[in-house]
Amino acid sequence: MLTAEQVSKLRFQLEREKGELEGRLKSNDHFGLERAHSHESMGELSSYDNHPADEGTELYEREKDIALNEHEENQLKGIVRALEAMDRGEYGHCEICGKEIPFERLEAIPATAYCIDHSQNQIISHDRPVEEGVLMPPFGKFDFDDSADESMVFDAEDSWQEVAQWGTSESPSDFINPPGHYNDMYIEPEENIGYVEDYENFVGVDIEGRNITVYPNDQHERYEEELDEEEIMTTFGDLPAFEHDPYVERREERK
């Protein structure tokens, strides 16, 4: 059982912590939460002329202030509860099992209302905010998002590119190497939509995969111009003019 000297020492510690918490909350206006709107703490009149990224930063800071304020207020409530228990002569007993709490534990955490066996800190919550199920990155939710090989299925990445081509919140000034055009602002803007290789737009075969035919069009002209500029025959390197497969033949010769 606690002695009168021990209780007096713990009361002094609790009252000192209570005064520090109350002074801190008063000096910072409860982390600025007593203001009507977060704009007042930022010195802004509205969000109209602010970049969305700046607004996101301020939102994060506001959420952090709310968490810190809640933590400090919970500590203050615990101290007040402990002081009231002292006045009633009930201080130093676990609220769950009723056993006496050792002085060493009270000395370390004077506001505690639980013994070490029933400490609330032993319970680890695995609950996550419901927003995470909605705001999490879309990749991984659809088929073929994590596939090692390329697929022509319209996946999550394609969804983003389809939307981003109409504009994002970013501007060329947000990049170290600014793109030359606003159409190049999103991820892989030059990626082909609906096909993999450029030549698929102007080359065709019959039902048996034979009789390769080139159908001239604008895409074919651009493809030829790009090859001429690079002075290569194909996008994957030069090929010999003869028909047989040199790679297979060379492998056979080495054997």
Side-chain angles (χ1 to χ4, degrees), residues 120-192:
Q120 293 179 324
N121 292 335
Q122 295 184 17
I123 302 174
I124 301 176
S125 175
H126 296 284
D127 295 336
R128 302 299 303 168
V130 66
E131 293 83 3
E132 288 188 1
V134 180
L135 301 178
M136 66 178 291
F139 306 107
K141 286 186 175 181
F142 299 89
D143 292 338
F144 303 104
D145 280 344
D146 299 321
S147 177
D149 50 51
E150 292 289 339
S151 173
M152 294 308 299
V153 174
F154 191 86
D155 60 9
E157 183 179 358
D158 295 326
S159 300
W160 163 248
Q161 291 173 334
E162 185 71 21
V163 175
Q165 65 178 315
W166 299 102
T168 68
S169 62
E170 297 175 321
S171 66
S173 62
D174 295 320
F175 296 85
I176 298 177
N177 299 315
H181 196 280
Y182 270 86
N183 291 341
D184 300 332
M185 294 299 301
Y186 60 95
I187 300 173
E188 297 181 346
E190 74 287 348
E191 184 181 41
N192 297 325

Side-chain angles (χ1 to χ4, degrees), residues 242-254:
F242 44 87
E243 295 291 334
H244 60 274
D245 188 348
Y247 307 103
V248 176
E249 186 174 275
R250 289 171 188 170
R251 284 197 297 269
E252 292 178 350
E253 288 177 359
R254 285 197 296 268

Side-chain angles (χ1 to χ4, degrees), residues 179-235:
H181 196 280
Y182 270 86
N183 291 341
D184 300 332
M185 294 299 301
Y186 60 95
I187 300 173
E188 297 181 346
E190 74 287 348
E191 184 181 41
N192 297 325
I193 305 298
Y195 57 96
V196 178
E197 300 293 344
D198 292 336
Y199 56 77
E200 294 180 21
N201 270 317
F202 50 82
V203 175
V205 296
D206 59 21
I207 194 171
E208 297 179 349
R210 301 174 181 175
N211 298 322
I212 301 175
T213 305
V214 176
Y215 299 92
N217 56 20
D218 293 340
Q219 185 71 28
H220 176 250
E221 290 184 11
R222 289 195 296 270
Y223 183 78
E224 291 287 350
E225 290 174 359
E226 291 175 359
L227 294 181
D228 291 342
E229 289 179 2
E230 298 293 333
E231 297 183 350
I232 56 177
M233 298 177 64
T234 70
T235 56

Side-chain angles (χ1 to χ4, degrees), residues 7 11 14 78-93 95 110-113:
V7 173
R11 180 186 289 274
L14 286 168
I79 291 173
V80 171
R81 183 177 57 185
L83 290 172
E84 291 175 349
M86 280 184 178
D87 295 336
R88 296 193 304 268
E90 300 173 357
Y91 178 76
H93 290 80
E95 290 187 357
T112 185

